[in-house]
Amino acid sequence: MCGIVGYIGKEEAAPILLEGLKKLEYRGYDSAGLAIYNNGKLDVIKSKGRLDTLYKLTDGGKKMEGTAGIGHTRWATHGEPSDKNSHPHVSQSGKIAVVHNGIIENYQKMKELLVNHGVKFSSDTDTEVVAQLLEYYYEGDLLEAVSKTLSRLEGSYALGIMSVDYPDRIIAARKENPLILAVGDNCNYLASDVAAVVKYTRDVIYLDDDEIAVITNDRINIYNTDMDELNKPVVHIDWNISDPEKGSYEHFMFKEIMEQPKVISDTISPRLKGNEVILNELDNVRSKIDKASQIYILGCGSAYHVGVIGKYLFEKYARIPSQAVLASEFRYSSPLVDENTLVIVISQSGETADTIAAMREAKRLGSTVIAIVNVVGSTIAKEADSVIYTWAGIEVAVATTKAYSAQLAVIHLLCLELAKNRKKMTEHEISEVVSELKLLPSKIQRIIDCREKLQYYASLYFNNDSVFFIGRNLDYAICLEGSLKLKEISYIHSEAYAAGELKHGTISLIEPGTLVVALATYEKLFDKLVSNITEVRARGADVLGFASEKMRESFEGNADSAFYIPNTHEMLTPSLAVIPLQLFSYYVALMRDCDIDKPRNLAKSVTVE
Ligand code: G6P
């Protein structure tokens, strides 16, 4: 997946495009490029590496003249990150330039067709076939060529297209990838995300699938595939989308970890009245929720890990059969969901391709979909039957922390709501949990305040090349996230294991010096977990243990290093237990001198399947 941006107006385009790309780097950052119309030709500068490289190459855009252009920041799918595979891609004659987010699935077939017609390709990408096909079909009418080209493409795309024959316009098209158009003063924009243009305008048009837009500096015309003109509303963005700044923090990830007390409070406070949970967002789906006989929770990466916690909690407290399924697996697994299934879709970005596809499949099968989403107006937010927003604010670091915690807070609220409706918890029991819920922000702060201890533990273990996270039940679910955090930002191989499962094979990997991170916050299974710790220590592992304060006495001496988490209601322990794991990973990555906010090979929003 990638970020695309376009500008046409009276100002110099390149600096505006670079500014926009900066806001889209979360979508990919292995290469970047610009194409600007300049005196009868398209100037293209593109390069492997971060946006900074392009910035330097173009002297902040000053080296590129022209008031219309398109830009791209890439996460490689087809073809390694390199100068030649960077976008924009141009047709053989250099007259048509294209930026693309998505995957052209039939690109090989299209490439063969074009090669047989003598077209010479200069990259390994799927995108280049779009530029070449456009030229192949172009007979003087660009829009017609676009229409013909799109009709040949299989896969997904958000496209920005320019041609030297039409210097007064940019063409945009979308299928299954986000794309917005924005209306400026004597200028117009296109972008993968509102964030890229909000500095200039808050009036946007959301392009839908199979729509084509012709953008000039004073008009935006939108057509369907039959080329009928459509009348689409201009939406004024009134939600807060202020640019996050790192301030005095070295990394966004650290800043976002520190923001968690506030984020939890912002997410839960508007949904509590006294000690009651009020989820008005569910009003339109309440009857469906009441008759649901099972719950499926879908998501990818950390969002899926929140789902695993949801599964344990919904079954335990609301007594509803529940399962968490990876969105990428759900779609192709013949899931047994129907109109009596409640599907909860979790996504920070609301744009993850696998999650969108899974949500659409669940809806097609008749289930009711509740989405837990951070980005307002995103595809998942728009298409779900009901949305509960996490008020985490913009999350910049690729490794999620505050959005994860906000999602977890919403899961707690949902769990209480379901348990109340099904009369599986008394008012008193609910009120007890809510009282503790309100204390989460201050307890998280207490953990953050003890971060030096975690920094010290990181200094002991940052050179390990293999780490196992073990825990049972909710602790296991937290291990999944702790392990992912460590591997994504520090590049240390790590695995999360249900502690009881370790002995069925994986324990053969434990040898003297292997680090095992053990979570022992779940009181009922504490003794069993301690037995598992003893097993790995007997084989020479170093154990870094995390236990609740109330178990301090029994835990002392069971691990080589230990960190204690404030006591809370059992349902809420994951919200506390995850914090020291985030901090531990952060410090390990810091000591290994890793690129913490933008780890290699990753992107924050994964808009390809
Ligand atoms: C990417 C990110 C993960 C994230 C996952 C799901 O892989 O690197 O941190 O958990 O996508 O993203 P979503 O936006 O759907 O929560």
Side-chain angles (χ1 to χ4, degrees):
M1 55 272 132
C2 308
I4 71 172
V5 66
Y7 168 84
I8 183 157
K10 307 247 182 279
E11 310 280 324
E12 286 301 306
I16 294 171
L17 295 174
L18 285 171
E19 191 67 32
L21 289 179
K22 201 153 67 178
K23 302 290 177 296
L24 298 178
E25 255 197 310
Y26 72 89
R27 307 179 69 85
Y29 39 79
D30 58 43
S31 46
L34 299 177
I36 310 275
Y37 176 79
N38 181 17
N39 276 325
K41 60 185 191 330
L42 285 165
D43 290 339
V44 176
I45 299 187
K46 56 186 188 171
S47 155
K48 180 185 168 182
R50 297 283 159 82
L51 189 61
D52 274 354
T53 313
L54 181 67
Y55 198 87
K56 282 178 196 135
L57 276 176
T58 59
D59 191 13
K62 286 191 211 103
K63 280 196 187 149
M64 298 185 84
E65 275 177 40
T67 59
I70 48 182
H72 189 269
T73 177
R74 179 170 189 245
W75 183 84
T77 57
H78 297 64
E80 57 168 10
S82 65
D83 291 354
K84 72 168 184 182
N85 289 334
S86 310
H87 300 215
H89 287 286
V90 290
S91 60
Q92 199 169 232
S93 69
K95 287 186 168 179
I96 295 175
V98 170
V99 285
H100 170 220
N101 169 207
I103 290 183
I104 307 302
E105 286 166 0
N106 61 339
Y107 84 102
Q108 256 158 338
K109 196 168 139 204
M110 291 294 109
K111 196 166 176 174
E112 265 168 45
L113 177 148
L114 291 161
V115 169
N116 288 341
H117 282 83
V119 176
K120 294 221 168 9
F121 277 74
S122 51
S123 80
D124 311 316
T125 64
D126 55 334
T127 303
E128 192 182 347
V129 299
V130 182
Q132 304 290 17
L133 269 177
L134 283 165
E135 186 154 288
Y136 176 73
Y137 283 126
Y138 182 62
E139 287 173 336
D141 184 337
L142 183 61
L143 209 49
E144 200 179 298
V146 170
S147 170
K148 278 188 185 157
T149 299
L150 297 183
S151 73
R152 301 301 306 270
L153 301 182
E154 286 165 21
S156 62
Y157 49 76
L159 290 166
I161 300 165
M162 291 187 78
S163 160
V164 283
D165 290 348
Y166 292 84
D168 65 334
R169 67 196 59 187
I170 300 173
I171 296 191
R174 165 194 157 136
K175 187 181 168 207
E176 291 171 18
N177 273 113
L179 195 57
I180 60 113
L181 313 170
V183 184
D185 199 6
N186 277 321
C187 63
N188 288 310
Y189 308 81
L190 71 92
S192 297
D193 181 347
V194 179
V197 297
V198 77
K199 184 172 170 190
Y200 308 105
T201 174
R202 283 178 166 261
D203 292 328
V204 305
I205 301 171
Y206 288 95
L207 207 62
D208 286 310
D209 281 354
D210 299 314
E211 291 178 350
I212 302 171
V214 178
I215 308 158
T216 65
N217 59 5
D218 57 1
R219 283 187 72 84
I220 295 179
N221 298 88
I222 299 170
Y223 305 91
N224 62 18
T225 36
D226 295 327
M227 286 300 154
D228 301 322
E229 190 161 354
L230 306 171
N231 199 358
K232 300 207 55 159
V234 176
V235 178
H236 184 75
I237 304 291
D238 50 12
W239 29 275
N240 180 13
I241 188 176
S242 55
D243 269 358
E245 295 293 339
K246 245 191 294 191
S248 56
Y249 295 101
E250 199 179 336
H251 297 102
F252 274 108
M253 182 181 175
F254 189 67
K255 178 175 181 247
E256 288 160 2
I257 290 174
M258 305 296 268
E259 282 169 5
Q260 290 180 108
K262 178 173 184 311
V263 162
I264 301 280
S265 171
D266 289 351
T267 301
I268 59 174
S269 306
R271 289 152 177 151
L272 295 178
K273 197 164 158 209
N275 273 3
E276 241 190 292
V277 175
I278 311 283
L279 287 171
N280 293 329
E281 295 94 330
L282 301 182
D283 284 352
N284 66 325
V285 289
R286 232 168 259 288
S287 63
K288 300 267 178 53
I289 296 177
D290 289 346
K291 65 174 207 242
S293 57
Q294 59 167 352
I295 298 179
Y296 267 64
I297 315 169
L298 310 176
C300 301
S302 300
Y304 163 73
H305 297 159
V306 173
V308 177
I309 294 173
K311 175 226 153 49
Y312 283 119
L313 295 183
F314 296 159
E315 291 197 332
K316 174 159 187 180
Y317 293 100
R319 306 301 294 151
I320 310 175
S322 306
Q323 47 183 316
V325 183
L326 289 164
S328 54
E329 286 294 308
F330 176 85
R331 190 180 176 192
Y332 303 109
S333 62
S334 318
L336 291 171
V337 306
D338 56 18
E339 61 283 359
N340 292 325
T341 307
L342 176 64
V343 171
I344 299 172
V345 165
I346 307 178
S347 175
Q348 186 284 129
S349 62
E351 298 295 351
T352 302
D354 286 321
T355 314
I356 292 173
M359 173 186 70
R360 287 180 181 159
E361 178 63 4
K363 287 192 84 171
R364 193 186 67 77
L365 293 167
S367 5
T368 300
V369 175
I370 299 175
I372 301 175
V373 174
N374 196 41
V375 177
V376 179
S378 56
T379 303
I380 292 176
K382 281 197 289 185
E383 292 188 19
D385 297 304
S386 151
V387 193
I388 307 178
Y389 281 113
T390 47
W391 298 120
I394 296 175
E395 192 177 56
V396 177
V398 167
T400 178
T401 52
K402 62 175 182 171
Y404 171 95
S405 285
Q407 289 163 355
L408 206 47
V410 172
I411 287 289
H412 295 323
L413 295 172
L414 258 177
C415 183
L416 292 171
E417 168 86 12
L418 292 168
K420 183 177 89 183
N421 291 349
R422 305 220 166 195
K423 304 202 170 25
K424 300 295 179 196
M425 284 175 84
T426 62
E427 260 179 44
H428 176 69
E429 285 168 332
I430 291 176
S431 151
E432 266 180 0
V433 181
V434 172
S435 307
E436 276 298 328
L437 201 53
K438 291 179 185 164
L439 295 176
L440 279 183
S442 60
K443 292 186 176 177
I444 291 176
Q445 191 57 52
R446 265 170 56 198
I447 297 173
I448 291 175
D449 292 343
C450 295
R451 60 188 178 277
E452 266 180 26
K453 191 151 199 188
L454 295 159
Q455 192 169 14
Y456 170 66
Y457 291 153
S459 75
L460 299 182
Y461 300 120
F462 76 100
N463 270 326
N464 280 55
D465 50 17
S466 185
V467 179
F468 289 88
F469 285 71
I470 60 168
R472 288 170 177 257
N473 199 275
L474 289 173
D475 282 338
Y476 166 58
I478 285 296
C479 284
L480 292 170
E481 179 61 7
S483 167
L484 179 64
K485 279 296 79 88
L486 185 70
K487 73 185 112 186
E488 66 184 334
I489 61 169
S490 74
Y491 315 146
I492 295 177
H493 169 257
S494 92
E495 281 185 49
Y497 252 83
E501 181 63 15
L502 200 69
K503 56 185 175 288
H504 298 294
T506 308
I507 201 162
S508 63
L509 294 172
I510 305 290
E511 52 186 9
T514 306
L515 176 62
V516 173
V517 176
L519 261 84
T521 70
Y522 195 48
E523 208 173 354
K524 287 198 187 86
L525 295 171
F526 179 78
D527 291 337
K528 298 214 179 301
L529 200 272
V530 168
S531 302
N532 298 134
I533 293 181
T534 316
E535 288 155 15
V536 294
R537 288 185 91 196
R539 285 152 182 91
D542 285 337
V543 172
L544 166 59
F546 293 84
S548 297
E549 273 292 351
K550 60 183 165 211
M551 295 155 191
R552 183 187 277 266
E553 236 173 75
S554 342
F555 196 65
E556 285 292 279
N558 277 308
D560 299 276
S561 314
F563 186 90
Y564 294 97
I565 293 158
N567 298 330
T568 184
H569 188 281
E570 184 182 277
M571 185 195 287
L572 310 178
T573 14
S575 281
L576 297 183
V578 74
I579 310 294
L581 299 189
Q582 295 169 346
L583 283 161
F584 177 69
S585 298
Y586 173 79
Y587 287 123
V588 168
L590 193 65
M591 285 164 197
R592 291 168 71 93
D593 207 16
C594 293
D595 193 344
I596 292 180
D597 285 339
K598 292 196 182 82
R600 69 184 179 206
N601 303 341
L602 298 182
K604 188 150 188 70
S605 176
V606 183
T607 57
V608 293
E609 254 197 81

